[in-house]
Amino acid sequence: MPGHEHRFTFGLWTVGNPGRDPFGEPTRAPLDPVESVHKLAELGAWGISLHDNDLIPWGTSPAEAEKITARFEQALKEDGLGVGFATTDLFRHPAFKDGAFTSNDRGVRRAAIGKAMRSIDLGARLGAEVYVFWGGREGTEVGVAKDPRDALERYREAINVLSDYAVEQGYELRFAMEPKPNEPRGDMFLPTVGHALHFITTLDRPEMVGVNPEVAHETMAGLSIHHAVGQALWAGKLFHIDLNAQRVGRYDQDYRFAAEDLKEAFLLVRLLERAGYGGPLHFDAHSYRNENAEGVWDFARGCMATYRALAERVAHFDSLPEVNEALARSSTRELGEATCAGAAEADQLKSEVDSLDELAKRGYFNEALDQILVEVLLGVR
Ligand code: GCO
Ligand code: MN
Ligand code: MN
C-alpha cells in the first residue's frame, strides 16, 4: 500500500464521478465526500482536492454550508488527510455558458471573481496549498464573438485581482493555471502549457502563479506531456500535476493513470522523480462508465499502483550498466554541457561549420537505447 510520502491525491469529483456522459445518465450512485475521504485514507492516499461545489452543492444555505464544511474538516482531521488543491466550479452553472472570467457579460465576470473569492476562502480554511484555475468555459465556438486579446486581458485581470485578494487575506496559497485545448468549449483560451507559461509572465504577481499540466490535455492537443512538464520544470513553474491517460485525437477520456501510452507515462514518471518534484501527485481521472462502486476503488488503487510500479521500473532502468553505456553512446549527457563560451568564440564557431560533413556520419544509438527502455517496461530486462 502507498504511504504518505507519495503524496497521492484524488479529486472528490474523480472517485465521485457518477459515469454520466453526453449520451447517458449516471451509472453509479453519488458518493458522500466524507465517505471518499475515509476510503481514500484506507487505500493510502495522502489527500484530496476539490471544487467548491463538490463539497457544497450550488444553492446550499450559508448555515447548511457551514455544517457540511465542519463535518468534512473533521473527516480530514480524523483520517490525517491533506488538501492538495482547491478550485472553483466556474463551468457548471448555466450563467457561465459564455465563459466566467472571459464572459462577454461584465456581470458574469464580476460574479465569477466573487465566486472564486468565496472558494479561495474555503480552500484556505481547509489548508489547501495550491489553488487551481482550469478555464472550463473560457473559450469560444464562434471566434468572431470574442477578440482573443480582450479575453486574455480579462483573464489576466481576474488572476491579478484574485492573487491580490489571497495575499491581502494572508493566505499561503500558490496558484496553478491548468491548460486544456478544448472541451467543453470548441477552443479554449490558454490551450497548452506553453500558452499558460507565457500568460504567467504578464501577471502582476508572476512568482505566485505556476501551472498544473494534465496528461490528457496535452495529449488531446497531440503534444508530449513529457516535454510540457519538462518546460514547466525548467521554468520553475511545476506547482501541481494532473495524472491520467488519454488517446490522441479522441474526446476527453480521463482514463486511469497510464492506461494508455505506457512509454510516455514512464518518461513522465522518470522526469518527475529525477527532478525531485515534491508536490501532490494528483489523479484527475475517473473509472470507466461500466464500473460500479467497487470498480471505482479498483481504479483508485490502480492509479497509485501504476505510479509506484513505473517509479520502480525507472529506478531499475537507471541502475542498468547497459543504460549508462547507451546514454553515453547517445551523447545524452553531452546535452547538459554548454555549447560554447559565447560570441567571443565567433571565429572558431564559424570555422567549425566545415566539420558538418564529418559530423553527419555518426549515429545516435537511439534504436538500442529505446529498445532497452521497452524491454524494461515489458519486464523482460
Ligand atoms: C477537466 C479538467 C478538470 C480540472 C478540475 C480542476 O478536463 O475537466 O481536468 O477536471 O482539473 O476542474 O480545475
Ligand atoms: Mn481534464
Ligand atoms: Mn485536470
Side-chain angles (χ1 to χ4, degrees):
M1 198 175 91
H4 273 195
E5 70 281 6
H6 293 104
R7 307 204 71 206
F8 290 135
T9 61
F10 289 84
L12 290 182
W13 70 95
T14 66
V15 288
N17 182 291
R20 181 186 295 110
D21 74 12
F23 304 94
E25 298 304 326
T27 60
R28 294 185 281 268
L31 202 57
D32 175 0
V34 166
E35 196 191 319
S36 297
V37 165
H38 292 326
K39 192 69 193 175
L40 287 170
E42 195 185 304
L43 297 181
W46 173 88
I48 57 95
S49 49
L50 77 165
H51 302 85
D52 47 357
N53 300 135
D54 294 337
L55 182 62
I56 303 165
W58 174 252
T60 304
S61 71
E64 186 59 21
E66 178 51 40
K67 264 195 232 155
I68 294 174
T69 310
R71 176 171 170 261
F72 189 70
E73 257 181 324
Q74 183 57 30
L76 288 174
K77 209 166 123 201
E78 259 168 41
D79 291 329
L81 249 57
V83 175
F85 79 71
T87 186
T88 329
D89 184 335
L90 292 173
F91 42 88
R92 204 170 299 271
H93 196 288
F96 297 130
K97 60 193 171 188
D98 185 59
F101 300 149
T102 65
S103 170
N104 285 6
D105 190 315
R106 186 164 178 265
V108 173
R109 297 201 300 269
R110 291 174 61 83
I113 292 177
K115 190 171 193 287
M117 284 171 168
R118 286 191 193 173
S119 175
I120 286 173
D121 295 340
L122 175 68
R125 169 170 172 185
L126 296 175
E129 54 187 82
V130 175
Y131 201 87
V132 163
F133 292 91
W134 171 62
R137 298 283 171 193
E138 317 295 5
T140 60
E141 287 78 36
V142 175
V144 70
K146 280 182 207 285
D147 186 322
R149 295 170 299 175
D150 289 336
L152 287 167
E153 193 53 33
R154 297 288 76 78
Y155 214 151
R156 189 165 86 97
E157 181 187 2
I159 302 299
N160 282 341
V161 169
L162 292 167
S163 53
D164 282 349
Y165 176 75
V167 169
E168 280 161 21
Q169 299 300 308
Y171 298 152
E172 276 176 37
L173 277 176
R174 297 202 296 174
F175 289 0
M177 310 299 302
E178 182 179 333
K180 188 176 185 182
N182 57 277
E183 280 203 57
R185 299 311 299 266
D187 284 287
M188 281 155 77
F189 297 119
L190 307 184
T192 70
V193 169
H195 291 78
L197 286 173
H198 169 262
F199 174 80
I200 291 165
T201 67
T202 72
L203 297 171
D204 288 350
R205 297 180 188 273
E207 70 290 346
M208 195 177 149
V209 187
V211 288
N212 178 34
E214 176 169 316
V215 176
H217 298 176
E218 297 302 302
T219 308
M220 284 169 74
L223 299 174
S224 157
I225 184 69
H226 177 230
H227 285 193
V229 170
Q231 188 157 350
L233 283 164
W234 177 70
K237 289 295 183 193
L238 190 71
F239 286 11
H240 196 273
I241 190 158
D242 275 2
L243 301 170
N244 53 14
Q246 169 79 31
R247 286 211 209 175
V248 179
R250 304 291 166 93
Y251 64 96
D252 183 11
Q253 294 173 309
D254 285 335
Y255 290 154
R256 188 181 73 256
F257 176 54
E260 302 288 342
D261 206 345
L262 266 178
K263 194 202 275 184
E264 190 77 2
F266 175 93
L267 293 172
L268 176 60
V269 170
R270 185 165 181 265
L271 182 64
L272 292 170
E273 297 286 312
R274 281 158 68 88
Y277 167 75
L281 292 164
H282 179 244
F283 300 105
D284 187 6
H286 50 76
S287 185
Y288 301 122
R289 188 168 182 267
N290 63 0
E291 291 290 356
N292 59 17
E294 198 187 332
V296 169
W297 305 114
D298 288 341
F299 148 83
R301 262 187 231 102
C303 285
M304 296 187 282
T306 304
Y307 187 96
R308 294 172 73 206
L310 284 169
E312 184 280 322
R313 287 286 85 191
V314 162
H316 176 64
F317 176 80
D318 284 306
S319 75
L320 294 174
E322 61 266 40
V323 167
N324 194 33
E325 194 190 316
L327 290 172
R329 295 187 72 184
S330 298
S331 302
T332 300
R333 297 189 190 99
E334 194 177 314
L335 186 59
E337 293 166 20
T339 304
C340 63
E345 272 200 275
D347 288 344
Q348 177 61 24
L349 291 166
K350 286 180 186 173
S351 76
E352 288 181 29
V353 175
D354 300 327
S355 59
L356 280 175
D357 290 342
E358 195 52 35
L359 289 168
K361 291 180 187 155
R362 71 165 285 184
Y364 286 85
F365 213 64
N366 279 194
E367 288 289 357
L369 175 60
D370 191 63
Q371 183 64 25
I372 298 173
L373 189 156
V374 168
E375 290 177 9
V376 165
L377 260 183
L378 291 173
V380 298
R381 188 191 280 266

